[in-house]
Amino acid sequence: MGSLLSACGINIKKKKVQEERHLRANDREFNLSFKYANNAIKTSKYNVFTFLPLNLFEQFQRLANAYFVFLLMLELIPQISSLSWFTTLFPLLLVLSITLVKDLSDDITRHKNDKHVNNRIAKVLLNGQLKSEKWMNVQVGDIVKLENNEFVTADLLLLSSSEPLNLIYIDTAELDGETNLKVKQALTITGDLGNDIQRLAAFNGEVRCEPPNNRLDKFTGTLTVGGETFALDNERILLRGCTLRNTEWCFGLVVFGGPDTKLMQNSGKSIFKRTSIDRLMNVLVMFIFGLLAFMCTILSIGNAIWEYQEGNSFTVFLPKTDGANTPLTAFHTFWSYVIVLNNVVPISLYVSVEIYRLVNSYFIDWDHKMYHVKSDTPAQARTTTLNEELGQIKYIFSDKTGTLTQNIMTFNRCSINGKSYGEVVDFAGQRVEVTEKTEKVDFSWNSLADPKFCFYDHKLVEAVRSGSPEVQGFFRLLALCHTVMPEEKTEGELYYQAQSPDEGALVTAARNFGFVFRTRTPETISLVEMGVPTTYELLAVLDFNNVRKRMSVIVRNPKGKLTLYCKGADTVIYERLHPSASKLMEVTTEHLNEYAGEGLRTLALAYKDLDEDKFEEWKERHHKASTALEDREAKLDAIYEEIEKDLMLLGASAVEDKLQDGVPQTIEQLAKADIKIWVLTGDKQETAENIGYSCNMLRNEMKEIFIVAANTAEEVREELVNARKKMSPQSGDEPPIVKSRFFNKKSQVVEDEKVEGDYGLVINGHSLAFALQKDMQLELLRTACMCQSVICCRVTPLQKAQVVELVKKHKKAVTLAIGDGANDVSMIKTAHIGVGISGQEGMQAVLSSDFSFAQFRYLQRLLLVHGRWSYLRMCKFLRYFFYKNFTYTFVHFWYGFFCGFSAQTVYDEWFIMLFNLVYTALPVIALSLFDQDVNDRWSFQYPQLYVTGQLNQYFSKMAFVRILLHSCYSSFILFFVPWAAMSDTVRDDGKAIADYQSFAMLAQTCVLISMALETYYWTALNQLFLWGSLSVYFVVTFTMYSSGMYLISESSFPLIGIARNTLNQPNVWLTIFLTNLLCILPVVAKRFFFIQLKPTINDKVRHKVRQAKVMPPPHPRKFPRRRISTQRSGYAFSHARGYGDLVTSGRFLRIPVKTRTTLFPHTDSPVAGSTPQTYRTIFEEAQSP
Amino acid sequence: MKNEGEGSERPDNTAFTQQRLPAWQPILSAGIVIPGFLIIGLAFIGIGIGLFLTSQTIQVLEMDYTGVEKDSPCFRCTIQSSQNCTCDVTFSLSTLFTGPVFFYYGLSNYFQNFRKYGVSKDYYQLTGDTKYFKSPQDVCAPYAYDSKSNPIVPCGAIANSMFNDTFELYQIINGTKKQVPLDGKGISWWTDYNIKYRNPSPVNGSFANAFEGTVKPINWPKAAYELDLTDPYNNGFLNQDFLVWMRRSALPQFRKLYRRITEGDYSAGLPAGNYSLTVHYNYPVLSFDGRKKVVFSNVSWMGGKNDFLGIAYLVVGSLCVVMSVVMLIVYAKFKFSDDDA
């Protein structure tokens, strides 16, 4: 997308001139005169002609390539050129062409995507007929028909819709990340057109509006129809990227197309993420440049001294060129050595790293065990530059709904009149786990039952069919006391639209157990009770809110009996029970605890029979209260309170918020890997806590779980400090900050504080808002980071990002954010690594993520296996790469002291050219692709292995210094052993061997062979590459130095005969052998001692693996743990206020009763009424601190 | 991205894509490392002894004849700048110097490995390409043209600085000098003589004509085509001494093969006795503090005498053995435990 801006660059410039957009509906000729962009989009960077020049231009802007070019130019200066130009040109060409190919394939993908989007089909009104047209052919001024769940084609002016009042509902998730449905309404003048094609085709309204811009929330313009002018605002505009929901059809007039749409104007701001190793690498490369300059300076000083002492007198055989004095030659020498030592700057590193990362990303894409069969979704590495960071994650920020949970509620257990149902037991009375094989209850006796509903306890069905009044009462309550909207498309096929999935689950349960909620009007509720249609008169709905934590309905049954049915949080209900229910209460409480212990969401259910007289009197007052102008809410609450007392307990229900598969196990594994998990959810505190328990984040073994729920800033601070002091009494008041400056970038890093034992922290939205304020955020950070798991409830998308940013900024740790919804986009983008859950509806999270897969549980494989391996490989790769280049180059440094600092190379030019490209490229790449310390099973068995990555143990500045020293040692050996062995010696036939070329040959052979690989995991390919590279070396060497090549070109292959004259000497081989062993043995010895004396976790596990010989069993799936806890979720209605108003609203009647095919038939009321914010409570509440 | 209407996205299940390639995973366990070190150590000691003993059997006789000291025989040649100075260096052998004996000259503090020196030659000239006779490559400067702008053949600093001392060796038997025959054939590499260097084709039957229009290198007393007038196969660029010189040394102290002593009475070596070496002293080295020497040496299977390799093998071998003992102690004492992995 980054290319987008540049691609549109020309357009944007044009638009500056354009001050107003003017278009006429159904008049292509008129609109074409303005040359507005049509609806085709282009995100690709290049076309056939611009590809080569543009791409090359971009490539030369990179430091590495610029450096190559600089070297190339140096090599063309005869005074300086110590190497032929081709030694640089060929690697440069190779690097350029590899990048070229990669960019090409990327761009082809973009072209394909563009094509895919451009070729989507839209229904366009053309010449009085609706025709299918490709998106890219849609023009400004066309009228387009959209149907339910279709993407909006372009930025449209809404003309008419199928819904009353010309309303439509759209989902803007892909655009701004908000998941709630939004309402748009057409002007009446256009709304009257309906779906009358003739009239639409004749419509010739003219639109004048603002030029294209990227403001999503603003639109100004006018529509002129038949001489009358209407103002247009954002309410009338449908933006590209939205999806039409709950609306059968609508018509729109294209205002902005393709690149002019607000979606496209907004894209292109993707943040380029870099890994910490990237940054370290850049620092090191800078350092290496310094080192290079340092070495060259030393050598040029040496040269000056040499010239002064020797060179001036050696003129007999090597006269000075005219005008060359000592300082000048020293200056030349400096640059000559820059050329000779250029390999110390690992320029090809960047290319190799790219290859390594690409293939490791493919390994993620290819992983069978991260492929979700049900949704046919493989894992995907969308960003291919972050792999090794996956092995260093310290903090995971997770969304809850859709990520940890499936957002599916199932009616799981219930307690009716002191009897608990829903548990599956075997013959011995032992509890058994529900598997796919467990026999389901057969609901075929109930023709209206929902076939998807599963229940496993047969006793409950028996009870309800045998007519037990309590059980029937229980389900009657569930069928009556709710605000669900039914929809019956065809006879007997019921769909429920519930405000919260919990409620849907309960009503569905009642439906299956024979109490089918069928239709409702504002005054009645019709059930089918055990096959008998029954209609209740709905007298009042006492709706849910956050304070009441309960809802009630008052109904009159066909026999005229008045009953109040109430369901709500157990604590709330218990306070209002009739004293006679205390015994039942005890038993039920036991059951409730049991359910809560399993992580179920519970509700207590109660009823009360009412007197006609009392009710009438109450109703009067209720009416008064509900029409009061002041304090209506409070007055209503008080009225409700009056009647909701002396309730009779019916029982309790338990709804399971279904976790995604394997979530608790994954969290346990990640916790073992010392990864801290923070759940950031929009849910209420109770719900979030509950999920925390059921997915193993909060555990009873934890020493304490702190709950921060305060209302003022000071209280929040106090609670945070108290919690911290409790965890670590000696922790000081001032945060342990390590300040550092790097390239003028100040950073404050809060150090980790040691804590004994595990703690948990739950913080609610209000408190979080305070805690995130500037003066308190460090306090929050300190406390939260001491805890093993943190749950933040009622968090807005913005706060999610703030929390992530806070940790990212002040902790030297790598963060990962995982989520599925559009509200997670901000945090996914903020975190070092963003993971999107794919395979579900919303794509926005995935689109902005770096990695995506279908299930949360794949996270452990991504981190513990792929991440760990990638990190391991990357570090080994870097260590080896630096080592090999340093060692190779330092030999020249030593040689400088013996050749008058003349920048004479030790190796021949072909070797220099091919060393990085051919001889050592493949083994090191094989290492970085295939190396693994232990296989995946063992990685799961020992999640502790992951810790090394978090602590940066494999590659750091220290490691780099060690490599540097090691290289000094190796290069010393590589130079001085051959030096000593060769000086004054001759061949076994007395002929020369100590000549320069033989020495070069010997040194280079030593260098190559002694690049002992650090491989742990020798696959056939590693072996092939290693031995292959060596053989290639010998083959190439013998070829290059052969007579045949010499005859082709004398000057290019001057080293004729060296190979055969040198490598047939036993002492040469003995020298090679000695040199190699001297390079390798100390390393082996050092490692041996470290393994024996200070074994790392890695060594230990490898040792164990060696001993075990058998693969560990795949991880057992644990039976969900039972928890004895008083922590219990409250009211199951997790999200917001119900539809109470709506259900009883008089407005409801205005809607013609017809068979409606829309999904949300009632949703007109929030718009027409005064409470459009109903959907947004989560955001609104948490945002106002 | 998932494309609509496509089949299964299931990735391939192969050992490669699933990273399950069979592999050999060596581990540095005591059972391998300690015996390994011991075996390597012992082997090295064995090789070292062999090398050292072999090196000891090689006889080397080195004589510096630069003439720095006043009492050295060649001192007088250093002060007088005249050409054709000769001096006699005498030496005696107490035992037989086993043959075949190789006769080297050696130079020190001489930077044949200096980069600008090293590049100062024209490959094309040296392969007999007469095009380049007329216009030598720039790298030869300042030895590409003489002061009158005549092209130099062979051009460049290497050729120009060719070593031009010559030697005659006499055995003194009862006061009379008996010349030891010196064999100058085949002292260069076969590849150099047969492939790398080639003479220009004779013009009008005369080899010298091929060099027409060129001048000899400035320091040379005679032109390339006059290097050995007695033997056409040892003349021009294929002159053995020239070839030996052109194989430039890697280090500032080096020796180059001058002659072999393989013929006549001396095929078995130089018998014990007194010898006199007549030096035709031409090559100036004192200006840059260089030294000249002659070296007589024989060779073994491992080439010339070099004690370093043998000693290095012995030292490294012993270190390995010591290391293996240390490792054993460490292993026994701190035995790697695996309780707490």
Side-chain angles (χ1 to χ4, degrees), chain A residues 412-546:
Chain A
N412 201 298
R413 310 281 296 275
C414 61
S415 161
I416 303 172
N417 200 21
K419 198 156 187 299
S420 176
Y421 298 96
E423 203 164 43
V424 188
V425 289
D426 60 11
F427 297 110
Q430 284 292 309
R431 194 185 155 179
V432 291
E433 200 187 351
V434 173
T435 62
E436 304 228 318
K437 284 178 204 150
T438 315
E439 195 196 339
K440 287 178 194 165
V441 170
D442 179 21
F443 288 109
S444 56
W445 53 272
N446 179 355
S447 61
L448 289 168
D450 182 354
K452 277 175 289 189
F453 181 82
C454 298
F455 202 75
Y456 300 95
D457 189 355
H458 296 266
K459 285 192 306 242
L460 187 57
V461 167
E462 284 158 22
V464 77
R465 292 189 79 181
S466 68
S468 152
E470 288 86 6
V471 177
Q472 294 207 345
F474 180 89
F475 286 116
R476 187 174 292 122
L477 187 153
L478 290 183
L480 288 171
C481 180
H482 56 78
T483 56
V484 170
M485 287 295 195
E487 187 185 343
E488 198 164 358
K489 278 188 183 162
T490 54
E491 184 69 25
E493 223 181 289
L494 275 170
Y495 292 96
Y496 292 137
Q497 295 296 328
Q499 163 69 10
S500 77
D502 309 54
E503 217 173 28
L506 292 175
V507 180
T508 307
R511 167 182 170 185
N512 275 46
F513 283 100
F515 287 79
V516 186
F517 165 60
R518 201 139 187 204
T519 56
R520 74 155 76 230
T521 69
E523 280 98 29
T524 59
I525 296 176
S526 304
L527 304 187
V528 180
E529 287 186 1
M530 305 306 290
V532 185
T534 319
T535 302
Y536 289 83
E537 199 182 323
L538 179 62
L539 299 171
V541 176
L542 286 57
D543 202 2
F544 165 84
N545 71 27
N546 278 326

Side-chain angles (χ1 to χ4, degrees), chain A residues 310 366 368 376 380 873 895 898 902 933 981 990 995-996 1017-1018 1046 1051 1054 1061 1070 1077 1103 1106, chain B residues 1 9 18-19 21 24-25 44 104 109 113 115 124 143 189 196 247-248 250 302 306 313 336 338:
Chain A
E310 311 271 351
W366 288 334
H368 226 239
D376 189 25
Q380 212 189 359
R873 288 167 186 173
Y895 190 52
F898 293 88
S902 60
D933 48 354
D995 70 299
Y996 161 70
Y1017 193 79
W1018 291 76
Y1046 185 75
S1051 59
N1061 281 312
L1070 283 172
L1077 279 176
H1103 187 78
R1106 174 56 56 96
Chain B
M1 231 169 275
E9 301 273 332
Q18 303 308 313
Q19 307 196 60
L21 289 174
W24 173 58
Q25 289 178 274
F44 267 44
Y104 300 90
N109 205 22
N113 60 4
R115 180 170 59 88
Y124 298 103
Y143 297 115
W189 283 7
K196 189 167 178 181
R247 189 145 285 284
R248 65 194 182 99
M302 57 162 284
N306 185 316
Y313 264 88
F336 168 66
D338 50 31

Side-chain angles (χ1 to χ4, degrees), chain A residues 24-56:
Chain A
R24 188 183 296 154
N26 290 321
D27 192 345
R28 277 200 168 183
E29 271 174 42
F30 174 78
N31 298 324
L32 280 176
S33 66
F34 296 101
K35 296 197 172 126
Y36 296 135
N38 68 2
N39 202 32
I41 56 158
K42 177 169 171 276
T43 56
S44 53
K45 272 189 190 175
Y46 319 107
N47 63 33
V48 181
F49 303 105
T50 59
F51 175 69
L52 209 60
L54 258 182
N55 187 273
L56 284 180

Side-chain angles (χ1 to χ4, degrees), chain A residues 1079-1136:
Chain A
C1079 284
I1080 296 166
L1081 285 183
V1083 180
V1084 173
K1086 189 203 109 187
R1087 283 205 197 139
F1088 178 80
F1089 284 123
F1090 268 89
I1091 290 176
Q1092 297 304 324
L1093 299 174
K1094 245 176 94 182
T1096 61
I1097 173 82
N1098 208 296
D1099 297 327
K1100 287 181 192 168
V1101 173
R1102 276 162 54 80
H1103 187 78
K1104 265 217 169 122
V1105 173
R1106 174 56 56 96
Q1107 283 182 332
K1109 293 207 165 85
V1110 207
M1111 283 279 212
H1115 228 59
R1117 297 203 96 190
K1118 279 183 198 150
F1119 196 69
R1121 240 186 271 165
R1122 291 238 181 168
R1123 169 169 66 95
I1124 308 116
S1125 166
T1126 50
Q1127 292 286 349
R1128 191 185 306 145
S1129 87
Y1131 202 59
F1133 288 44
S1134 56
H1135 292 285

Side-chain angles (χ1 to χ4, degrees), chain A residues 485-700:
Chain A
M485 287 295 195
E487 187 185 343
E488 198 164 358
K489 278 188 183 162
T490 54
E491 184 69 25
E493 223 181 289
L494 275 170
Y495 292 96
Y496 292 137
Q497 295 296 328
Q499 163 69 10
S500 77
D502 309 54
E503 217 173 28
L506 292 175
V507 180
T508 307
R511 167 182 170 185
N512 275 46
F513 283 100
F515 287 79
V516 186
F517 165 60
R518 201 139 187 204
T519 56
R520 74 155 76 230
T521 69
E523 280 98 29
T524 59
I525 296 176
S526 304
L527 304 187
V528 180
E529 287 186 1
M530 305 306 290
V532 185
T534 319
T535 302
Y536 289 83
E537 199 182 323
L538 179 62
L539 299 171
V541 176
L542 286 57
D543 202 2
F544 165 84
N545 71 27
N546 278 326
V547 185
R548 286 165 40 77
K549 295 187 175 178
R550 63 189 183 272
M551 84 165 280
S552 308
V553 290
I554 299 173
V555 293
R556 195 197 307 270
N557 74 2
K559 288 177 191 148
K561 200 168 133 197
L562 273 178
T563 317
L564 177 142
Y565 289 106
C566 179
K567 66 177 178 183
D570 46 56
T571 46
V572 178
I573 300 285
Y574 280 11
E575 284 167 19
R576 290 164 181 80
L577 287 186
H578 193 266
S580 66
S582 63
K583 192 133 197 210
L584 181 57
M585 207 168 97
E586 264 172 46
V587 186
T588 310
T589 308
E590 232 168 76
H591 290 155
L592 279 170
N593 285 343
E594 187 188 314
Y595 301 157
E598 285 164 32
L600 304 178
R601 300 196 195 194
T602 55
L603 277 183
L605 313 180
Y607 74 100
K608 177 186 175 185
D609 293 329
L610 296 175
D611 278 356
E612 195 74 44
D613 302 345
K614 267 191 185 169
F615 175 68
E616 281 306 320
E617 185 254 344
W618 179 83
K619 201 178 171 189
E620 199 111 306
R621 286 189 292 127
H622 175 237
H623 182 72
K624 233 188 231 169
S626 60
T627 50
L629 292 176
E630 284 170 18
D631 263 351
R632 188 179 342 178
E633 292 276 312
K635 280 181 185 162
L636 273 176
D637 277 359
I639 292 285
Y640 291 164
E641 196 77 33
E642 262 178 50
I643 199 156
E644 288 170 328
K645 62 182 180 191
D646 292 337
L647 303 173
M648 301 303 293
L649 187 63
L650 261 177
S653 70
V655 169
E656 186 182 355
D657 187 357
K658 272 214 158 178
L659 290 179
Q660 297 276 9
D661 289 341
V663 166
Q665 293 89 330
T666 305
I667 287 185
E668 197 183 328
Q669 282 277 49
L670 295 176
K672 275 193 204 156
D674 206 18
I675 298 173
K676 297 193 171 173
I677 301 165
W678 296 27
V679 169
L680 309 176
T681 173
D683 279 356
K684 291 192 314 161
Q685 186 183 328
E686 288 92 344
T687 334
E689 241 177 86
N690 207 277
I691 289 299
Y693 277 107
S694 58
C695 66
N696 240 334
M697 280 187 56
L698 302 178
R699 292 180 293 271
N700 288 314

Side-chain angles (χ1 to χ4, degrees), chain A residues 21 28 37-42 114 116-125 130-158 168-171 174-175 237-245 249-265:
Chain A
R21 175 165 286 225
R28 277 200 168 183
N38 68 2
N39 202 32
I41 56 158
K42 177 169 171 276
D114 287 354
H116 174 73
V117 172
N118 284 335
N119 285 334
R120 281 189 192 156
I121 300 296
K123 289 207 187 68
V124 184
L125 192 60
L130 269 185
K131 280 184 186 155
S132 292
E133 186 68 272
K134 287 176 182 168
W135 275 30
M136 59 184 198
N137 295 333
V138 173
Q139 302 279 353
V140 169
D142 287 355
I143 289 178
V144 179
K145 182 185 181 186
L146 296 179
E147 286 175 359
N148 200 9
N149 296 330
E150 274 186 357
F151 287 112
V152 176
T153 319
D155 287 0
L156 305 177
L157 168 68
L158 179 61
I168 61 154
Y169 304 96
I170 52 166
D171 173 354
E174 298 221 351
L175 203 57
I237 298 295
L238 299 181
L239 298 181
R240 183 176 177 144
C242 302
T243 316
L244 195 65
R245 300 278 185 213
W249 50 260
C250 75
F251 283 90
L253 171 68
V254 177
V255 179
F256 298 123
D260 294 343
T261 57
K262 303 216 175 196
L263 173 72
M264 297 311 279
Q265 298 266 330

